[in-house]
Amino acid sequence: MSAFTVLNPATGAAVRDVALASVEETDAAVARAVRAQRAWAELAPVARADALRNFARVVEDHVEELAQLEVLEAGHPISSAWWEASHVAQVLNYYAGAPERLVGSQIPVAGGLDVTYHEPYGVVGIIVPWNFPMTIAAWGFAPALAAGNAVVLKPAEMTPLTAMRLGDLALEAGLPDGVFTVIPGAGPVVGERFVTHPDVRKVVFTGSTRVGTEVAAGCAGQLKPVTLELGGKSANIVFADADLEAAAAAVPGSVFDNAGQDCCARSRLLVERSVFDRFLELVEPAVAAWRVGDPNDESTEMGPLISAGQRDRVASYVEGANVAFRGSAPEGEGFWFAPTVVLAGRGDRIATEEVFGPVVAVLPFDDEVDAIALANDTVYGLAGSIWTRDLGRGIRVSRGVQSGVLSVNSHSSVRYTTPFGGMKASGLGRELGPDAAEHFTQTKNVFYATS
Ligand code: NAD
């Protein structure tokens, strides 16, 4: 049996070896899920809701432990890790409301009664990345379970520990064995088996556009529905009429949060030419003040990158680039990279490709039309921000930018009560929000003849 050594990104030290599941072990877990799913789906809706609320309560009781695990395996600052663990409980609580609200419809027809039902798919396979291991998993498993599916979840190789603990906590909370199973393993083994296994009826994939495209192609071959949450190269658009102080203060959080390893990172900063220099003068002290360091320190805002490989990849983008200024980062052990602001030109690699690190490419624009064109000059379409005091402009630009989630005068992207997902190469389908549980069902229409 092969294993993966989980490393602490802040020190580079080994944390633990985790066994990687084989295809046979994946098949056994799927078979258990198939056996458990029917009874789970047939539970009274209120009972499924109670089970999810109980799961949420148990997660709440273990927020500290889950947060510490997240710090250890992903290097997230402890304050973010607490937020993430609490968010898992909130998402579970939110979707605990879904089983009793998955209402179908009755359609007027002649000669009988016509009714639609929302039926679960059966077993759903969820594949998640390493950047937000707990929260992204919960966005999939909470609504999928609420809708009456069983879930098999594959965490990323580098960050299996929080997901494995959530698997234990589900059992502790009383979820029946097989309803929620975490299977640590390699992408091309366990993840690919989710795609090819005939009993996995729907796949949710969050990760790179490259692998997501392969997963989608595999699912297409079997006509298996797939939700894809992929990469991004989101724009932070600052107009001259904006509250420039507020916009500048928000820049570090908009792109250096989670060390830039955030699919929603505003990794392109587009600034109206007339205020370009003045705005960068405001951004520089905000970047210098961004606290990078020990993830266990509650005041830390940014930890290390996930791995040496990721750090080297990020460094390769910055090499030879026109660096305007940088923040600070610890030296020595661990996978550190200082927040970096780069002056870029249109079409530059650093301005078009997803770096997935604490690097922002800054470009000037001329007017509203130019800003929209520049924001859309990417294969991606996940998130973005628009800073302006002109409400009409905020509305026009938000309508023009091809992204799944946008914010005006804010850099927030995720609220579990609102839909989340990408356009173009950033994905297919939506997670979160009021409709997510329904996305884990198929509509069945039944006509009951009355004579
Ligand atoms: P990745 O694509 O390398 O891996 C993601 C997951 O897919 C991992 O669990 C991996 O083991 C698995 N995998 C790898 N090969 C596979 C295969 N052949 N079949 C099935 N599964 C396979 O991505 P990553 O490096 O872990 O994560 C970073 C990427 O994720 C970035 O591009 C980022 O933008 C994206 N992301 C997107 C969102 C979103 O919601 N849109 C959220 C977070 C991360």
Side-chain angles (χ1 to χ4, degrees):
M1 181 191 288
S2 59
F4 189 91
T5 304
V6 176
L7 301 180
N8 178 344
T11 62
V15 173
R16 200 175 132 185
D17 285 348
V18 172
L20 297 172
S22 62
V23 168
E24 292 70 27
E25 286 163 325
T26 307
D27 286 356
V30 172
R32 264 203 324 279
V34 169
R35 284 196 295 275
Q37 188 266 333
R38 181 162 289 277
W40 175 247
E42 286 174 358
L43 271 184
V46 67
R48 218 159 56 237
D50 281 347
L52 292 177
R53 282 196 194 96
N54 209 32
F55 189 7
R57 254 191 308 277
V58 173
V59 170
E60 270 161 19
D61 291 344
H62 291 80
V63 161
E64 172 68 26
E65 182 196 346
L66 287 164
Q68 293 291 350
L69 273 180
E70 184 93 322
V71 171
L72 210 55
E73 69 175 354
H76 291 192
I78 185 70
S79 55
S80 312
W82 270 324
W83 182 89
E84 288 161 46
S86 309
H87 179 85
V88 172
Q90 287 165 348
V91 172
L92 277 165
N93 266 324
Y94 179 65
Y95 287 107
E100 293 174 288
R101 294 199 191 111
L102 279 170
V103 289
S105 59
Q106 179 265 312
I107 297 170
V109 290
L113 175 71
D114 194 279
V115 176
T116 63
Y117 300 90
H118 293 298
E119 294 209 338
Y121 278 97
V123 177
V124 173
I126 300 178
I127 303 167
V128 293
W130 45 261
N131 62 332
F132 288 105
M134 272 189 281
T135 52
I136 291 172
W139 298 356
F141 71 68
L145 292 171
N149 300 280
V151 168
V152 285
L153 168 72
K154 192 203 89 64
E157 291 85 327
M158 287 188 276
T159 55
L161 302 182
T162 45
M164 288 163 68
R165 192 67 188 115
L166 285 172
D168 296 341
L169 295 179
L171 289 174
E172 219 172 280
L175 258 70
D177 183 44
V179 163
F180 176 54
T181 309
V182 178
I183 316 171
V189 178
V190 178
E192 212 164 294
R193 188 60 186 142
F194 288 179
V195 172
T196 58
H197 199 302
D199 287 336
V200 176
R201 295 285 163 80
K202 178 178 165 111
V203 170
V204 177
F205 173 87
T206 305
S208 62
T209 297
R210 183 186 64 77
V211 178
T213 306
E214 286 173 23
V215 166
C219 288
Q222 313 198 36
L223 299 179
K224 186 179 290 194
V226 60
T227 300
L228 301 170
E229 296 285 5
L230 309 175
K233 188 72 185 175
S234 299
N236 195 0
I237 308 171
V238 182
F239 285 95
D241 67 16
D243 177 343
L244 295 182
E245 279 76 19
V251 165
S254 78
V255 60
F256 303 141
D257 197 30
N258 201 21
Q261 304 166 124
D262 182 340
C263 51
C264 295
R266 274 61 167 170
S267 54
R268 290 182 300 151
L269 177 57
L270 315 183
V271 186
E272 191 161 354
R273 203 179 293 277
S274 60
V275 293
F276 190 83
D277 292 339
R278 184 149 70 89
F279 188 69
L280 284 190
E281 278 167 22
L282 293 170
V283 170
E284 187 166 3
V287 172
W290 187 247
R291 288 187 292 269
V292 184
D294 180 4
N296 288 300
D297 182 332
E298 282 180 34
S299 68
T300 293
E301 290 168 301
M302 182 181 128
L305 297 186
I306 189 73
S307 65
Q310 187 67 11
R311 181 195 55 202
D312 296 347
R313 184 175 172 273
V314 173
S316 77
Y317 277 95
V318 173
E319 214 174 283
N322 185 4
V323 173
F325 45 85
R326 307 187 76 172
S328 61
E331 310 250 317
E333 303 298 308
F335 313 130
W336 300 95
F337 198 87
T340 302
V341 178
V342 169
L343 301 177
R346 297 183 185 208
D348 287 358
R349 190 172 161 246
I350 204 163
T352 54
E353 294 181 15
E354 184 181 46
V355 176
F356 225 50
V359 178
V360 59
V362 196
L363 297 99
F365 66 84
D366 293 315
D367 55 25
E368 209 176 289
V369 172
D370 189 35
I372 294 172
L374 187 53
N376 289 338
D377 187 19
T378 165
V379 296
Y380 296 110
L382 186 56
S385 294
I386 299 144
W387 294 84
T388 176
R389 283 192 170 103
D390 179 337
L391 178 61
R393 166 173 280 162
I395 294 169
R396 285 190 302 273
V397 178
S398 64
R399 297 298 297 270
V401 174
Q402 296 154 351
S403 283
V405 286
L406 287 164
S407 48
V408 179
N409 296 328
S410 152
H411 65 81
S412 108
S413 303
V414 172
R415 288 157 302 277
Y416 57 83
T417 50
T418 59
F420 176 83
M423 294 181 179
K424 294 155 67 180
S426 289
L428 210 60
R430 293 292 176 268
E431 294 190 295
L432 298 177
D435 302 331
E438 197 175 316
H439 296 163
F440 286 98
T441 66
Q442 311 189 72
T443 301
K444 177 180 278 181
N445 187 81
V446 182
F447 171 71
Y448 300 90
T450 45
S451 59

